[in-house]
Amino acid sequence: MIRSLYTGINGMRNHQLKMDVTSHNIANVNTQAYKSQRVVLKEGFTQMLRGATRPAGNAGAGGTNPLQIGLGMSVGSIDNIMDQGALQTTGQITDLSIEGRGFFAFSNGRGGRFYGRNGALQLNANGYLVSGSNGWFLQGLTADVEGKIPHNATIGAIQIPWGEKAPPKATQNIEYVCNLDADGGGRGTWVNTQAWLKYGVGNDLLTGLYDENGNSFNIQEMDILSVTFKDSGGVEHIVDFSVRSENLTGDPLIVHDLDSLAGAIKYALNSNGEPAEVAVGGDGRIYINDVTGTPTNLFVNNTTRPTSDGYVSNAFQWIGPLTGSTPTGIPAHGKTLGAVTEATELKDILDSRGRALNLENGDPIKISGTIGDLPLGADTGLIYSDGEPGSPGPATTMKMLMDHIQTMLRLPDEVPNTDGSKIPSIEINTAAAGDTRAPVGSLIIRGQLGDAFAISGLGIIAGNSNNNQINPSNFNANAIDTPIQHARDTLVRSTAIEVFDESGSAHTVVMTFTHSGKPGEWLWELSTKDGEWIVSGNRGKVTFSEDGSPASWIFDDDTTSFIFNPRNGSANVDLRLRVGENGLFTGITQFQSPTTTAASHQDGYPMGKLSELSISEDGEISGIYTNGVSKMIAKVLLAEFNNPAGLLRIGDSMWAESNNSGEGTLFAPGEGTSSTIKPGAIEMSNVDLATEFTDLITTQRGYQANARVISTSDQLLQELVQLVR
């Protein structure tokens, strides 16, 4: 009877203890980084009333089980639940939380080391990072003046050196990046007139011929021209000839000029039994003479390009029989026109439509327009003459017209070409090596480089010296200019950057890139803004490979760096220029794209003071200085235990090592431990209120049940006492 009383008391006492633990969990539901506990109950002592007996062998009697009675329950353990709590963002830079199973290490300043996960840290009066709950010092490693952790660094308190000065550093390197436009060379105004033509002659190239109406035959290199005819027996023959700009091999099946086309017709006739003589006449026609036999329907076709064939076949055709040996021969259907030369007299020149220019003796040819912002001076004019008796003078030639234009436009004999070479300032466009943007036989006029020499409003106008005579309108219409390219200045790109000497004084260095006029080449020059003395290395050139990467960086004085004297008592500043490497595109490049090159970075800085902090996930505490420098100040370490649930609670959200926790080992976050730090956040309690409230109910019912055991036992005792009455 007494036994049940003490069993009930034991049950009530232990359920009260479980209630205490649950209430403690609930009380700390909002405590940062609190780890909840649980009570594990176990059965208490057991009294043996009778032992077990084994079966009696063959006698048929079975064995009996032991007869035991329990003497209540006791507390088996109070466990720490070390699950990760949720993280709450605070934005406070000194608030730290841990993701993983690690612990912050703290020192109480008296040699003891303790651990906690509450990272609500504060800075004390001396700049040390301490726990906000008890002022104990956060442990870690301190960096040296260069921001590196020494290999022999010892674990200790972390101090933030507010107001610490970062010494200045002289600039050693400047990096340049982005693009220089490949099309950066200066340009002059280029214009062309319409084609100036004359009757074709034997050495006029086929690729520069026109018909009598000024239509280009458009015969091009490698075209195939076919000579087709029927022989006296009515059999058709076709002979193909290939067009070349030069007849280098003497091959009769290769044609290049009007004479060789006449030779091709003769070759086709002779090789097929219809001998004849074929030649170019003074009027640009091809004449066929001394024909033996009666060939018919002779045509020349351009079998390569239909747009050309219509003009070619219309000009070179002989319909009907070719017979006889008359001196005049049998003319082709039309005339051929070719480009003029400098020696061609204006009286023999036709306009681009094959018409006479209508110039007459005494007509003045005047040049007008503007160069840059200045109009041309007064022009007395080039007086036209046909050179005949009674004319104003010798016959006016194309060369005389070109010289007059050159004089009035104040052009040099040569101007820079887009590839850096020299090219005539005025010339007649040729079929062999001319500008494909202008028609063959046109007059091309090229101004000097730059906007200051831009030619605008150009007029080449012939006046009518006698209003009763024909107006030279054909000449004037043919001389109207058509722009090929507009003038522009050579592309110049400047970019400035501040560099620093050893005292921390700033100096502005200006880099200027100027296109040299040669493809893939730029000139560069360095200067200083405030008149510092330049010692060496301030000029040179950079060339680019075909892929657009820098091929070479050359100093004019054969040095390897830019050096200037800051004129303030500091040592000379010696700067290396980093522009990239051949085959790489990380520095400056030259592509057909707008120029954007700039000085992107330099590695010097002035003196600065520590003004801000940043903390990374790997525990690095970095200082940000007023000069923009950022360097590591210290590294927070995290402790790990074999059995973190075995740690001993000592209050203030702190833990101490116990015999069963194992010794704490400190690691850098992410190195030797998977735990990392989350700055600007606090770990919350891992208490689950739903679980705790459920435990409240079960604990209460357990307590009530044990109390009922005591009251029932009391009633039984009361009955026992009353037996003696």
Side-chain angles (χ1 to χ4, degrees):
M1 192 70 66
I2 300 298
R3 183 168 47 205
S4 63
L5 283 173
Y6 284 101
T7 298
I9 293 172
N10 191 27
M12 291 178 64
R13 181 185 302 115
N14 290 318
H15 276 83
Q16 178 61 55
L17 186 146
K18 184 175 181 181
M19 180 67 74
D20 293 341
V21 170
T22 301
S23 64
H24 183 67
N25 287 340
I26 294 174
N28 286 279
V29 68
N30 289 317
T31 300
Q32 284 85 357
Y34 173 78
K35 300 303 178 185
S36 63
Q37 295 177 292
R38 71 178 180 185
V39 177
V40 178
L41 301 176
K42 68 177 181 178
E43 183 183 4
F45 296 105
T46 301
Q47 181 179 357
M48 178 70 71
L49 299 180
R50 186 183 66 195
T53 63
R54 67 178 64 231
N58 295 328
T64 59
N65 292 327
L67 188 63
Q68 295 177 292
I69 186 170
L71 299 179
M73 49 83 73
S74 63
V75 175
S77 66
I78 300 178
D79 297 335
N80 296 314
I81 308 302
M82 307 304 289
D83 293 344
Q84 172 89 43
L87 302 186
Q88 178 185 8
T89 301
T90 66
Q92 176 69 28
I93 189 60
T94 56
D95 283 347
L96 305 179
S97 58
I98 300 173
E99 277 196 342
R101 58 198 301 269
F103 289 78
F104 295 113
F106 295 91
S107 171
N108 61 2
R110 297 186 295 276
R113 180 177 293 173
F114 304 94
Y115 308 94
R117 290 180 62 94
N118 183 359
L121 305 176
Q122 297 177 355
L123 289 168
N124 71 6
N126 296 322
Y128 286 97
L129 276 174
V130 298
S131 168
S133 60
N134 55 17
W136 290 357
F137 299 97
L138 180 68
Q139 301 292 284
L141 299 174
T142 300
D144 57 21
V145 294
E146 295 182 355
K148 299 179 181 179
I149 302 295
H151 69 278
N152 58 350
T154 58
I155 298 172
I158 295 175
Q159 185 179 28
I160 307 301
W162 292 111
E164 178 188 57
K165 297 178 181 178
K169 179 180 179 292
T171 302
Q172 295 178 316
N173 299 280
I174 302 178
E175 294 182 8
Y176 293 91
V177 297
C178 296
N179 189 62
L180 293 170
D181 194 343
D183 187 24
R187 291 184 177 178
T189 303
W190 287 19
V191 298
N192 67 275
T193 65
Q194 299 299 310
W196 304 94
L197 304 175
K198 60 176 179 54
Y199 291 129
V201 295
N203 61 0
D204 282 341
L205 296 180
L206 295 176
T207 52
L209 289 180
Y210 297 80
D211 69 12
E212 60 184 336
N213 297 315
N215 298 308
S216 171
F217 285 145
N218 194 27
I219 299 173
Q220 298 183 22
E221 185 86 359
M222 303 299 292
D223 282 358
I224 301 298
L225 301 183
S226 294
V227 177
T228 304
F229 71 95
K230 292 183 179 180
D231 63 19
S232 301
V235 178
E236 186 176 64
H237 300 275
I238 300 175
V239 184
D240 291 335
F241 299 88
S242 179
V243 176
R244 299 287 191 278
S245 58
E246 292 184 86
N247 188 13
L248 300 178
T249 65
D251 188 334
L253 297 180
I254 292 179
V255 293
H256 63 288
D257 58 14
L258 201 54
D259 273 341
S260 62
L261 179 60
I265 296 172
K266 177 180 179 179
Y267 176 86
L269 291 170
N270 290 357
S271 62
N272 288 281
E274 306 286 342
E277 293 296 329
V278 185
V280 180
D283 58 357
R285 301 177 190 267
I286 293 179
Y287 289 86
I288 303 175
N289 298 300
D290 299 329
V291 182
T292 301
T294 57
T296 60
N297 295 337
L298 192 152
F299 291 89
V300 178
N301 295 93
N302 187 344
T303 63
T304 304
R305 62 190 72 255
T307 56
S308 169
D309 185 52
Y311 296 118
V312 171
S313 61
N314 188 54
F316 302 115
Q317 58 174 292
W318 291 262
I319 300 176
L322 303 175
T323 60
S325 57
T326 58
T328 57
I330 301 173
H333 177 70
K335 302 175 182 179
T336 56
L337 305 179
V340 300
T341 66
E342 292 184 357
T344 306
E345 296 178 0
L346 264 61
K347 66 180 180 181
D348 297 327
I349 295 177
L350 307 174
D351 70 6
S352 62
R353 297 173 60 185
R355 304 173 303 182
L357 300 180
N358 294 337
L359 289 170
E360 296 178 317
N361 285 327
D363 285 352
I365 302 175
K366 296 184 178 182
I367 313 302
S368 62
T370 301
I371 298 179
D373 297 327
L374 301 176
L376 299 181
D379 183 8
T380 57
L382 172 67
I383 304 302
Y384 171 77
S385 174
D386 61 10
E388 300 296 331
S391 63
T396 305
T397 64
M398 180 60 74
K399 180 66 166 64
M400 295 168 64
L401 175 61
M402 293 165 63
D403 289 344
H404 184 63
I405 296 172
Q406 182 178 356
T407 299
M408 290 304 301
L409 294 180
R410 301 188 293 276
L411 298 176
D413 291 338
E414 294 181 321
V415 295
N417 197 358
T418 53
D419 62 0
S421 62
K422 295 292 186 179
I423 192 169
S425 60
I426 182 168
E427 66 176 344
I428 298 169
N429 199 32
T430 64
D435 193 322
T436 57
R437 295 171 293 180
V440 174
S442 64
L443 195 61
I444 297 181
I445 302 166
R446 303 181 178 96
Q448 298 185 72
L449 303 183
D451 290 337
F453 299 100
I455 300 172
S456 59
L458 177 62
I460 306 173
I461 305 296
N464 189 0
S465 60
N466 185 342
N467 291 331
N468 294 325
Q469 296 177 337
I470 300 173
N471 191 295
S473 56
N474 288 349
F475 174 90
N476 293 340
N478 212 63
I480 292 176
D481 69 277
T482 302
I484 297 177
Q485 73 178 24
H486 297 282
R488 72 176 184 199
D489 290 332
T490 298
L491 186 58
V492 178
R493 174 71 175 186
S494 293
T495 177
I497 192 170
E498 273 195 344
V499 300
F500 299 91
D501 60 31
E502 63 180 7
S503 70
S505 296
H507 307 271
T508 302
V509 173
V510 181
M511 170 68 84
T512 301
F513 292 96
T514 305
H515 198 282
S516 70
K518 298 179 181 179
E521 182 180 275
W522 291 72
L523 306 178
W524 60 266
E525 181 175 0
L526 285 166
S527 60
T528 56
K529 184 178 180 180
D530 298 319
E532 292 83 349
W533 291 337
I534 294 176
V535 178
S536 63
N538 65 316
R539 289 188 181 90
K541 67 180 179 181
V542 55
T543 61
F544 291 89
S545 300
E546 292 182 354
D547 65 359
S549 64
S552 66
W553 182 272
I554 300 171
F555 290 80
D556 285 349
D557 56 6
D558 294 327
T559 55
T560 58
S561 62
F562 171 54
I563 302 175
F564 69 87
N565 186 328
R567 297 179 62 189
N568 60 4
S570 296
N572 289 347
V573 179
D574 190 339
L575 300 174
R576 295 287 190 271
L577 310 177
R578 307 299 184 189
V579 297
E581 300 178 24
N582 189 23
L584 300 178
F585 306 97
T586 55
I588 60 174
T589 57
Q590 183 188 251
F591 297 119
Q592 196 88 15
S593 184
T595 293
T596 54
T597 292
S600 65
H601 176 71
Q602 58 83 33
D603 55 3
Y605 44 81
M607 185 198 78
K609 291 184 177 181
L610 179 61
S611 60
E612 294 182 36
L613 291 179
S614 68
I615 303 176
S616 66
E617 290 191 2
D618 60 1
E620 287 188 4
I621 302 176
S622 297
I624 302 173
Y625 294 77
T626 55
N627 58 2
V629 173
S630 176
K631 68 176 183 177
M632 184 165 57
I633 296 173
K635 181 182 281 285
V636 178
L637 299 180
L638 296 180
E640 285 212 355
F641 297 86
N642 292 334
N643 176 26
L647 289 170
L648 183 64
R649 296 174 187 262
I650 61 171
D652 294 332
S653 297
M654 292 291 177
W655 306 74
E657 296 175 1
S658 74
N659 293 334
N660 197 40
S661 66
E663 186 176 349
T665 304
L666 271 60
F667 300 98
E671 299 178 13
T673 173
S674 59
S675 299
T676 57
I677 288 176
K678 297 296 181 183
I682 291 292
E683 182 180 359
M684 300 171 66
S685 167
N686 68 351
V687 172
D688 181 2
L689 282 178
T691 300
E692 302 303 325
F693 287 158
T694 301
D695 283 348
L696 280 179
I697 295 172
T698 58
T699 302
Q700 178 186 13
R701 294 308 179 199
Y703 188 92
Q704 289 174 336
N706 280 278
R708 182 62 62 195
V709 168
I710 294 175
S711 62
T712 302
S713 296
D714 177 57
Q715 290 176 2
L716 291 176
L717 286 173
Q718 183 68 27
E719 291 295 329
L720 178 62
V721 171
Q722 290 177 355
L723 288 176
V724 299
R725 292 181 181 180

